[in-house]
Amino acid sequence: MSETIDKAELARLTRAVRARVPLDAAQLLARESPERVGEVLADLPQDLADRIQSHLPPELRRQAAEELAEAVAGTVHEMMEPALAVLPAATTVAMAIEYLRTHPTPQQITYVYVTGSDDRLIGLVVIRDLLLGEPEDTLAEVMLPDPFALPVDMEAGEAIKAALHRHYPVYPVIDGEQHIVGVIRGWRLFERQAVEISAQSGQMVGVDKEERLGTTFWAAFRMRHPWLQVNLLTAFLAGFVVSIFEGTITQIVALAAFLPILAGQSGNTGCQALAITLRGITLGDMDKFRVGNLVRKEMLLGATNGLLTGLVAGVAMWWSASRGGGDVEALRLGVVIVLAMVGACMISGMFGVLVPLTLRRFGADPATASSIFLTTGTDIAGMGLMLLLATMIVL
């Protein structure tokens, strides 16, 4: 209930700020906390928010700017720019054309956005339709009603999904009361998508998505090193599993040579499934695809690939072990490698789907260091399975 009241109070304050000139609006906000000021500014058109901020007391302006940056981080607002052509529905075509002619930057205007009597967005006019309309026609007569718009607080990833199949050059941005607060250009959304996808390969191994080629040494060190410590701890788990079967390795020395082969093959299989899953999350495909179906598909792919590569590795194991005599034992070792490869690749395919989905389920970035957790899981499962099978079948 208190949250509802708070939102209602915030909406009331935002309306009061909108109704005032920037100086009076700044005086009204000067009595509020920096957090509240940042929330109000986040719901205003960017040019109006900038003018109001310029009249705030210096300390409050600084604190409000920090709160605003935190509030809009990762949202549409972060990529938004001012809407340059917003006109009332009663404006005539002739008046709109004159407005465009006298505008300082008409080349940056793609659409004219039309508002109703309550200043809510009700339509848009394509420049072509404006030029073809009769001079006395109103914008209400030539506009496209109910245009698609992005909420100002929508997360950037959700906005990318919403725009994925539309490919409009510009998208209007609205607040909770349908007032237009700015626009976002389509190329910015897809630039953001390209950055997110390019960052995934680094995030999977603990490289922060903010790191660039120009990042300083110590900043890069602080971003990377904690994940290497996590990787070390998880590697100890894999080492512990191997140590359990130390007696098996001592008796069958040939297994030691095939442990990294199995780990590498199953790890690559898991990374393939992981890459497809992350791509599906980024593009929104996971919302319409059953997780169970994807897990079964990746496990089947893992079993098929594991069988084919396992046969090659099994023959290599048989050839390597038979040179010292003991054809029966060599054959058993070959079977162990085949079965272990099939099982390890199936498990890694399953992990490649479940690791990022589990991270997302707990509110974490699904790309963050997912490769570290995937590698640990596949190493433990793969090497543990091979050594267990060798203990059961050969010894």
Side-chain angles (χ1 to χ4, degrees):
M1 183 66 178
S2 60
E3 183 179 355
T4 303
I5 294 175
D6 189 65
K7 288 184 177 180
E9 179 65 20
L10 179 62
R12 184 200 62 76
L13 180 60
T14 303
R15 286 194 298 268
V17 168
R18 281 178 174 275
R20 287 167 166 77
V21 297
L23 179 58
D24 292 342
Q27 292 176 348
L28 177 63
L29 290 176
R31 301 194 294 266
E32 304 291 337
S33 66
E35 294 82 1
R36 178 59 60 87
V37 175
E39 291 176 339
V40 171
L41 294 177
D43 280 339
L44 296 177
Q46 192 168 356
D47 54 344
L48 176 58
D50 291 341
R51 292 200 302 272
I52 293 174
Q53 275 187 287
S54 66
H55 294 293
L56 292 173
E59 182 61 20
L60 179 59
R61 183 191 315 158
R62 182 188 64 79
Q63 293 176 337
E66 293 175 355
E67 294 294 335
L68 176 60
E70 183 177 348
V72 304
T75 67
V76 165
H77 192 293
E78 193 176 31
M79 299 176 281
M80 187 179 70
E81 58 188 69
L84 299 179
V86 182
L87 299 174
T91 305
T92 65
V93 168
M95 294 167 61
I97 291 176
E98 182 61 24
Y99 173 85
L100 294 176
R101 284 177 175 172
T102 58
H103 197 280
T105 56
Q107 68 277 8
Q108 296 183 18
I109 298 175
T110 305
Y111 303 120
V112 175
Y113 295 101
V114 185
T115 57
S117 58
D118 53 1
D119 290 332
R120 296 185 178 187
L121 178 66
I122 60 173
L124 65 80
V125 179
V126 181
I127 302 300
R128 176 197 60 200
D129 294 339
L130 195 64
L131 296 175
L132 295 177
E134 296 295 332
E136 65 276 8
D137 289 343
T138 64
L139 295 185
E141 296 176 283
V142 298
M143 73 180 185
L144 299 173
D146 301 321
F148 172 77
L150 299 170
V152 67
D153 57 352
M154 176 181 277
E155 292 185 0
E158 295 301 316
I160 291 170
K161 296 175 186 177
L164 188 61
H165 301 293
R166 289 183 169 88
H167 301 291
Y168 299 151
V170 183
Y171 298 87
V173 181
I174 57 175
D175 62 13
E177 298 183 342
Q178 304 298 308
H179 297 125
I180 184 166
V181 296
V183 297
I184 181 170
R185 302 196 178 272
W187 65 266
R188 284 193 180 277
L189 283 174
F190 290 101
E191 178 185 61
R192 180 64 172 262
Q193 182 184 27
V195 170
E196 292 292 332
I197 292 176
S198 67
Q200 286 179 356
S201 59
Q203 285 179 280
M204 287 191 294
V205 290
V207 175
D208 195 279
K209 64 180 179 181
E210 301 300 326
E211 184 176 341
R212 299 290 187 270
L213 291 176
T215 302
T216 63
F217 172 83
W218 288 113
F221 175 79
R222 288 193 301 270
M223 292 176 184
R224 298 187 192 185
H225 185 72
W227 287 113
L228 293 178
Q229 292 288 356
V230 173
N231 185 59
L232 180 62
L233 292 175
T234 56
F236 282 145
L237 293 176
F240 173 73
V241 171
V242 173
S243 68
I244 295 175
F245 296 95
E246 183 178 356
T248 301
I249 298 176
T250 302
Q251 296 181 59
I252 311 174
V253 181
L255 288 175
F258 282 81
L259 284 174
I261 296 175
L262 178 69
Q265 196 66 34
S266 61
N268 287 336
T269 302
C271 286
Q272 290 175 342
L274 176 63
I276 293 300
T277 305
L278 288 175
R279 185 180 299 169
I281 293 174
T282 302
L283 299 179
D285 294 340
M286 290 301 301
D287 298 334
K288 53 190 176 183
F289 202 91
R290 292 176 60 87
V291 175
N293 291 341
L294 182 58
V295 171
R296 283 191 292 271
K297 172 188 171 184
E298 292 299 334
M299 290 185 70
L300 180 59
L301 280 170
T304 305
N305 289 323
L307 176 62
L308 296 178
T309 55
L311 288 173
V312 176
V315 170
M317 170 59 89
W318 169 80
W319 178 79
S320 176
S322 63
R323 288 186 301 172
D327 289 340
V328 175
E329 180 177 319
L331 181 60
R332 288 178 178 175
L333 285 173
V335 171
V336 166
I337 294 299
V338 174
L339 295 177
M341 192 73 78
V342 172
C345 289
M346 286 181 65
I347 294 172
S348 64
M350 178 182 68
F351 283 175
V353 176
L354 296 183
V355 165
L357 293 181
T358 302
L359 288 174
R360 185 175 71 161
R361 176 67 178 82
F362 285 99
D365 187 340
T368 302
S370 51
S371 182
I372 292 175
F373 297 112
L374 173 67
T375 301
T376 300
T378 55
D379 284 352
I380 292 174
M383 292 190 290
L385 179 62
M386 185 177 77
L387 294 172
L388 177 63
L389 289 172
T391 304
M392 295 172 60
I393 295 175
V394 179
L395 296 182

